[in-house]
Amino acid sequence: MAKIIGLTGGIASGKSTIAAYFQSKGAAVLSADDLARTLAEPGGELYQKYVAHFGQGILLPEGTLDRRAIGNIVFSDEQQRRWLDETSHPVLQAAMVEQIQAARQKNFPVIILDVPLLFEAGWDKMTEVSCLVFVDAAVQLERLIKRNGYTKAEALGRIAAQMPLAEKKQRADSLIDNNGSLAESYNQADKLWKEWTHAGLS
């Protein structure tokens, strides 16, 4: 039976790059972000809940959700962020369980749950092993501003909303240091892949 690995990392840590690499090696990669996007499309379960709660002001002219507007609300208001998490996580978790069951039917050697808030949302309980992709704080901030076009304040707000990196490192079973070159990161991933596909996991 496929081993279930929880892959996580701070925002802009390069987690998606590592997830794609594991996928190229034969893993099934199930992305919580992709699930959230699907469920937040017009007519989706999360879309309806968000519009009912936040109002029409979070919609773009074409009727889709303005993700940046929602982000600015929830990352500046702890109560709103708690509401978002408590509303979205059960919906996403149920959808993820369905995806895991579907992936199990296809005989993948490894099923990777790509979940940014793996520890924060308690999704690590769904996995056998957790793996953290990390970068230094300065690298993370620079990448996030460059990638998303955020102001420094917006970027810092999103980083602060996540569990501190030091705590994630303590909780993770495996680490991938993504501060160096891609080749160095892939080399670490190769070692873990060998461990996951050949060693028995208790």
Side-chain angles (χ1 to χ4, degrees), residues 3-151:
K3 294 170 178 125
I4 299 182
I5 310 295
L7 184 69
T8 193
I11 189 168
S13 62
K15 173 180 57 62
S16 297
T17 301
I18 299 300
Y21 184 67
F22 282 132
Q23 190 168 32
S24 76
K25 293 179 77 67
V29 175
L30 310 180
S31 165
D33 279 350
D34 287 350
L35 263 182
R37 270 190 283 273
T38 300
L39 292 166
E41 287 172 359
E45 189 173 351
L46 291 181
Y47 178 93
Q48 294 167 336
K49 289 177 185 291
Y50 293 169
V51 175
H53 179 77
F54 294 115
Q56 300 289 315
I58 59 160
L59 295 178
L60 293 167
E62 67 270 21
T64 57
L65 293 175
D66 184 341
R67 293 168 66 88
R68 187 162 183 171
I70 295 172
N72 286 337
I73 293 169
V74 300
F75 289 113
S76 60
D77 184 328
E78 178 64 29
Q79 200 171 342
Q80 294 282 19
R81 186 161 64 86
R82 196 176 299 123
W83 176 87
L84 186 87
D85 288 345
E86 289 171 357
T87 301
S88 63
H89 288 160
V91 174
L92 289 169
Q93 205 156 5
M96 182 65 88
V97 168
E98 286 183 14
Q99 288 204 346
I100 291 170
Q101 289 168 344
R104 281 201 187 282
Q105 305 302 316
K106 297 178 181 175
N107 296 320
F108 287 100
V110 170
I111 298 172
I112 289 179
L113 309 190
D114 177 355
V115 186
L117 301 180
L118 185 77
F119 300 121
E120 291 92 331
W123 285 40
D124 54 318
K125 296 182 184 70
M126 299 168 65
T127 69
E128 294 168 69
V129 171
S130 59
C131 177
L132 173 70
V133 181
F134 72 92
V135 291
D136 294 338
V139 175
Q140 182 184 28
L141 181 61
E142 182 185 339
R143 285 185 186 174
L144 184 55
I145 290 170
K146 187 177 179 182
R147 187 188 76 184
N148 292 52
Y150 289 147
T151 64

